[in-house]
Structure formats: structure tokens, C-alpha cells
């Protein structure tokens, strides 16, 4: 019983995420510091933590599509994505001079952002906010005497409908998770009350009413 009280399962809530409907699978989901630059402030930049998710439809040789998603916990209206399928991958491959096929592209994306997460002194994602609802992510490697752009991801801002779905889900997910946590706290309170009332009295001295 004690183990069940500690474990919290949010999978049912997370399954309602509109971005994974239709069979998409999340293969990378991490928060990474980004340097963000704006077109009217070329000499200035800010550093902000961005959530990076990489999702695929299909797998292995059955891969149909990959989506790279950027969002922010600080701004629910911040949402950019990069989508590649079999038809447009050749353009990406040529422009980026990649030495992989479409089926290896998800691994390239995951490894790239893992390095940004784990080797922040040497690999950094730079987000250039552009006009016309577009942006560009450059993965920059810092060498001894210069900086080298390893790969570029062309991003598109979510339209009004995508943003609406994104905000609605985020708001509902936070509310639902709060309700689950609140119920879990009440269960733990009742357990401690029965098992160790002295401990409960001690804890209540430090907890807000």
C-alpha cells in the first residue's frame, strides 16, 4: 500500500497530448538551454530553457514522419516545429550535407540534442526567430579557435489552431495533475495519521494551514 501511495501515474493525462495523436511516439523529451536571437536585435540574445521533443510516426524501415518540437513552460504561446517525411527528406539531406538516409534521421536528431544537453560547454542550440512565423535552430560546436555550425533545423511557428490545442492541453494537464497530487497528499496524510500520529503532529508545525 505504501508503494502505491508514492507512485504517481500521469500516463493517462499525457496520452491526451494532441501532438502524439495518430500513433506518434516520443523518442526524446528534455529541457535544454537555448540562446535566442531576434531579427531586430542582432547584437543581443537571451538564454532560455526550451523543452525539446522529438516524435516519430512509424519506426525503423516503417518510419513515415519525424517532428521536432520546441515549447516553453514559461510561455504557453511559444511553439515551433520541424517536420520531415520521406518526400521532403532529400531536400534536408542535400541542404545539410547529411550522410544518413531518412530512416537514420531520428537518431541524428536525438544524438544532436543529447550532446547539447550533456556537453553544454561545447555544443549549443541557437534559435534565430525570423519573420513570417519562421525560425531556425543552429547547433553550434565551440572549437578552440572558432565556432562551427553542425546542423540547422528550419522551424515553423504553430498556427492559431495548433497553439489553441497546445494551450488547452497544457492548462488541462496541469489542473488534472494538481488534482491527482492533492488527492495523493490526502491519502498520505490519512496513512500517517493512522500509523504515526506523533509524526503528523510534528509535521503540522511546519506545514501551512
Amino acid at each position: 500500500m505504501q508503494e502505491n501511495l508514492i507512485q504517481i501515474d500521469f500516463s493517462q493525462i499525457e496520452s491526451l497530448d494532441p501532438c502524439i495523436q495518430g500513433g506518434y511516439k516520443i523518442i526524446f523529451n528534455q529541457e535544454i538551454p537555448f540562446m535566442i536571437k531576434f531579427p531586430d536585435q542582432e547584437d543581443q540574445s537571451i538564454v532560455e530553457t526550451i523543452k525539446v521533443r522529438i516524435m516519430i510516426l512509424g519506426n525503423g524501415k516503417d518510419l513515415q514522419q519525424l517532428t521536432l518540437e520546441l515549447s516553453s513552460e514559461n510561455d504557453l504561446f511559444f511553439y515551433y516545429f520541424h517536420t520531415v517525411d520521406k518526400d521532403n527528406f532529400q531536400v534536408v539531406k542535400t541542404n545539410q550535407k547529411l550522410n544518413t538516409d531518412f530512416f537514420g534521421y531520428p537518431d541524428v536528431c536525438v544524438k544532436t540534442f543529447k550532446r547539447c544537453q550533456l556537453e553544454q560547454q561545447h555544443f549549443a542550440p541557437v534559435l534565430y526567430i525570423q519573420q513570417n512565423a519562421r525560425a531556425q535552430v543552429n547547433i553550434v560546436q565551440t572549437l578552440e579557435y572558432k565556432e562551427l555550425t553542425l546542423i540547422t533545423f528550419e522551424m515553423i511557428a504553430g498556427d492559431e489552431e495548433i497553439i489553441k490545442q497546445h494551450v488547452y492541453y497544457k492548462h488541462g494537464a496541469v489542473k488534472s495533475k494538481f488534482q491527482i497530487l492533492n488527492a495523493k497528499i490526502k491519502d498520505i496524510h490519512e496513512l500517517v495519521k493512522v500509523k504515526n500520529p506523533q509524526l503528523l503532529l510534528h509535521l503540522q508545525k511546519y506545514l501551512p494551514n
Side-chain angles (χ1 to χ4, degrees):
M1 180 177 179
Q2 284 85 345
E3 291 183 357
N4 292 332
L5 285 173
I6 295 173
Q7 294 175 354
I8 301 177
D9 184 10
F10 293 136
S11 59
Q12 187 172 359
I13 297 172
E14 292 167 352
S15 69
L16 300 176
D17 188 341
C19 295
I20 61 172
Q21 302 307 308
Y24 279 89
K25 176 184 177 183
I26 299 174
I27 59 173
F28 184 83
N29 183 8
Q30 297 291 335
E31 292 187 335
I32 301 173
F34 273 65
M35 180 178 293
I36 304 178
K37 294 179 176 289
F38 300 91
D40 55 344
Q41 302 174 11
E42 295 183 1
D43 297 332
Q44 299 181 13
S45 63
I46 62 173
V47 176
E48 184 171 337
T49 299
I50 300 297
K51 176 173 281 191
V52 179
R53 295 202 304 179
I54 300 172
M55 297 162 284
I56 57 173
L57 181 62
N59 198 7
K61 295 300 181 181
D62 295 323
L63 180 67
Q64 300 174 42
Q65 193 173 81
L66 174 142
T67 296
L68 165 64
E69 172 197 272
L70 304 182
S71 62
S72 172
E73 296 298 324
N74 297 323
D75 182 359
L76 293 180
F77 295 92
F78 177 93
Y79 187 89
Y80 286 88
F81 65 95
H82 161 86
T83 297
V84 177
D85 57 25
K86 292 180 180 179
D87 296 329
N88 61 17
F89 174 73
Q90 191 59 45
V91 175
V92 174
K93 180 176 180 177
T94 300
N95 290 344
Q96 299 302 314
K97 299 179 181 179
L98 300 176
N99 59 359
T100 185
D101 58 15
F102 174 63
F103 306 110
Y105 190 54
D107 193 43
V108 170
C109 295
V110 170
K111 285 182 177 179
T112 296
F113 283 99
K114 276 187 176 180
R115 298 192 81 171
C116 292
Q117 180 191 22
L118 301 175
E119 303 177 56
Q120 295 181 16
Q121 291 183 339
H122 302 290
F123 298 91
V126 182
L127 174 63
Y128 294 89
I129 304 294
Q130 302 172 346
Q131 304 292 345
N132 303 320
R134 291 188 174 272
Q136 180 177 291
V137 174
N138 288 353
I139 305 300
V140 178
Q141 181 181 9
T142 301
L143 303 176
E144 186 175 0
Y145 298 110
K146 67 176 182 179
E147 292 183 342
L148 178 66
T149 298
L150 299 179
I151 189 171
T152 296
F153 299 97
E154 299 294 338
M155 314 294 296
I156 301 175
D159 60 24
E160 184 176 350
E161 182 60 28
I162 291 177
I163 296 295
K164 181 180 178 181
Q165 293 179 3
H166 181 70
V167 171
Y168 181 80
Y169 166 72
K170 284 283 188 179
H171 179 268
V174 169
K175 184 177 179 180
S176 297
K177 288 179 180 180
F178 175 79
Q179 291 174 342
I180 292 174
L181 287 171
N182 194 42
K184 187 68 66 174
I185 290 172
K186 289 182 179 179
D187 290 342
I188 293 174
H189 178 277
E190 291 303 317
L191 179 64
V192 174
K193 183 178 180 180
V194 173
K195 296 289 186 179
N196 195 333
Q198 292 298 322
L199 175 60
L200 180 61
L201 291 174
H202 179 72
L203 291 174
Q204 286 175 338
K205 296 179 182 179
Y206 303 96
L207 295 175
N209 295 326

